[in-house]
């Protein structure tokens, strides 16, 4: 019983990294909120339509990066993402008649899930966590 008390005291003496709160928020945003919203979205629409909405991730990541001032928009980058997004819009537009009633709710919720993923992509870049260990990217 005495050995457990040692570990409890040792845990309290650990120096937590300065960016612990940021890492916790990132983890909750992507590993928590994203998957909850994804599951809710699929309950309102089909998995195929939810996956098409998920393919909007490059556009949303580009927009979030630009809005936060982390990554500037360039013409070449914008054109590439816009071509990809046009393909998504075409695929969704031609299948609108086959969509279940209320599918727009699922697609809207999926857009929110993808937004969580976009913020995670932008904020978790190497430049924002310079003191991380190399293997921490695998965790």
């Amino acid at each position: 019983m005495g050995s457990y008390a040692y570990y409890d005291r040792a845990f309290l003496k650990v120096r937590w990294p300065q960016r612990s709160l940021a890492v916790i928020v990132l983890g909750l945003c992507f590993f928590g909120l994203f998957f909850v919203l994804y599951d809710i979205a699929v309950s309102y629409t089909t998995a195929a339509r939810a996956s098409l909405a998920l393919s909007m991730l490059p556009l949303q990541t580009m927009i979030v990066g630009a809005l936060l001032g982390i990554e500037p928009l360039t013409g070449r980058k914008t054109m590439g993402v816009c071509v990809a997004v046009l393909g998504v819009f075409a695929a969704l537009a031609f299948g609108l008649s086959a969509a279940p009633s209320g599918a727009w709710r699922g697609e809207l919720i999926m857009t929110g899930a993808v937004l969580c993923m976009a913020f995670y992509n932008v904020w978790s870049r190497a430049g924002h966590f310079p003191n991380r260990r190399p293997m921490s990217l695998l965790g």
Side-chain angles (χ1 to χ4, degrees):
M1 189 159 179
S3 63
Y4 290 117
Y6 170 75
Y7 290 118
D8 289 342
R9 280 183 268 135
F11 178 75
L12 293 174
K13 292 180 183 178
V14 170
R15 288 192 59 204
W16 293 95
Q18 292 177 352
R19 296 182 184 242
S20 292
L21 182 61
V23 172
I24 290 169
V25 170
L26 279 175
L28 288 175
C29 183
F30 178 65
F31 295 105
L33 189 58
F34 169 75
F35 290 109
V36 169
L37 290 175
Y38 186 89
D39 288 341
I40 292 170
V42 172
S43 71
Y44 284 105
T45 188
T46 63
R49 294 177 68 82
S51 295
L52 283 172
L54 180 62
S55 65
M56 298 295 288
L57 178 63
L59 175 67
Q60 286 194 10
T61 302
M62 184 178 70
I63 291 171
V64 167
L67 288 176
L68 295 176
I70 294 173
E71 191 169 328
L73 289 177
T74 62
R76 185 176 184 177
K77 189 185 320 180
T78 305
M79 283 299 292
V81 169
C82 286
V83 167
V85 169
L86 284 175
V88 172
F89 280 133
L92 283 175
F94 292 122
L96 285 177
S97 62
S101 63
W104 64 271
R105 289 183 188 106
E107 291 157 12
L108 188 63
I109 293 169
M110 191 63 188
T111 302
V114 173
L115 191 61
C116 289
M117 195 177 201
F119 273 101
Y120 177 82
N121 285 342
V122 171
W123 280 335
S124 65
R125 290 181 53 181
H128 298 287
F129 295 101
N131 296 329
R132 75 184 190 295
R133 293 186 179 116
M135 295 301 287
S136 67
L137 293 175
L138 299 176

